[in-house]
Amino acid sequence: MTAGPRETEVKFRVDGRAALEVRLRALGAAEGALEDEANLLLDDDVLSLRRAGRALRVRIVNGRGVLTFKGPASFDAGVKSRLELESGVDAPENVLALLDALGYRPRFRYEKRRTPWRFADPSRPLVVVDETPLGLFAEIEGEADAVRALAAELGVAEEAFLRSSYWGLWVAAREKDPGLPEDMVFPG
């Protein structure tokens, strides 16, 4: 299964949120509404999806869900691309129960407070700023050349692009600090 819609993006750490937002506004992007996300990565008991570089996720925002399958990632000049199949879910708890019956259980939970930034020109990439328990990150998603061009406009060098997912970043953080919880969730 290689044909289908592709997610093409870069992710990078944000040291100065205010400076990034000023630059986005100056380039014509409009700030969207803040979304509180709860994300569950699911896998079987032998972690066959993770081992194959795939992901199965249920994301919940304001009681509504999105079921997502992601294929293995490839990288070109720091830009990640992978198959991404998504479908809206009215009852995420029912989908989680269905997936559990098929042997896919939550293996990792991560939370984000996501702010989208959109341009009036639909050919311009989407930018999201993610506040996470691990710090502040941003993603630029769109066509590869447009993603690279916008990253350059924002002053983000290719060397700053992160190859890891939030799961990978959290695993690395836990290796440095074993006192961190198993899941990447906000305290409280």
Side-chain angles (χ1 to χ4, degrees), residues 144-157:
D145 290 341
V147 166
R148 283 188 199 90
L150 182 54
E153 287 180 274
L154 293 171
V156 180

Side-chain angles (χ1 to χ4, degrees), residues 28-150:
E31 183 176 0
L34 177 71
E35 299 173 343
D36 284 315
E37 290 184 6
N39 297 274
L40 293 167
L41 291 180
L42 300 103
D43 211 332
D44 58 22
D45 290 339
V46 295
L47 306 177
S48 61
L49 293 174
R50 184 177 301 159
R51 289 182 180 165
R54 296 179 169 102
L56 181 61
R57 179 187 69 207
V58 173
R59 171 175 288 161
I60 303 168
V61 180
N62 300 327
R64 297 192 43 92
V66 177
L67 175 64
T68 305
F69 170 81
K70 295 184 181 218
S74 62
F75 291 86
D76 180 23
V79 177
K80 181 183 351 183
S81 181
R82 66 196 304 182
L83 173 69
E84 181 179 69
L85 303 171
E86 292 189 314
S87 184
V89 173
D90 290 331
E93 63 284 351
N94 291 345
V95 169
L96 287 167
L98 181 148
L99 292 168
D100 182 71
L102 294 172
Y104 294 100
R105 293 171 184 78
R107 304 296 176 184
F108 179 64
R109 177 184 171 95
Y110 63 105
E111 297 175 341
K112 298 184 286 185
R113 296 180 183 120
R114 172 169 275 186
T115 304
W117 289 80
R118 289 187 170 78
F119 292 88
D121 178 353
S123 69
R124 298 278 276 170
L126 168 70
V127 178
V128 295
V129 178
D130 290 338
E131 179 186 343
T132 78
L134 197 52
L136 200 60
F137 297 86
E139 295 179 0
I140 304 171
E141 185 173 343
E143 295 298 319
D145 290 341
V147 166
R148 283 188 199 90
L150 182 54

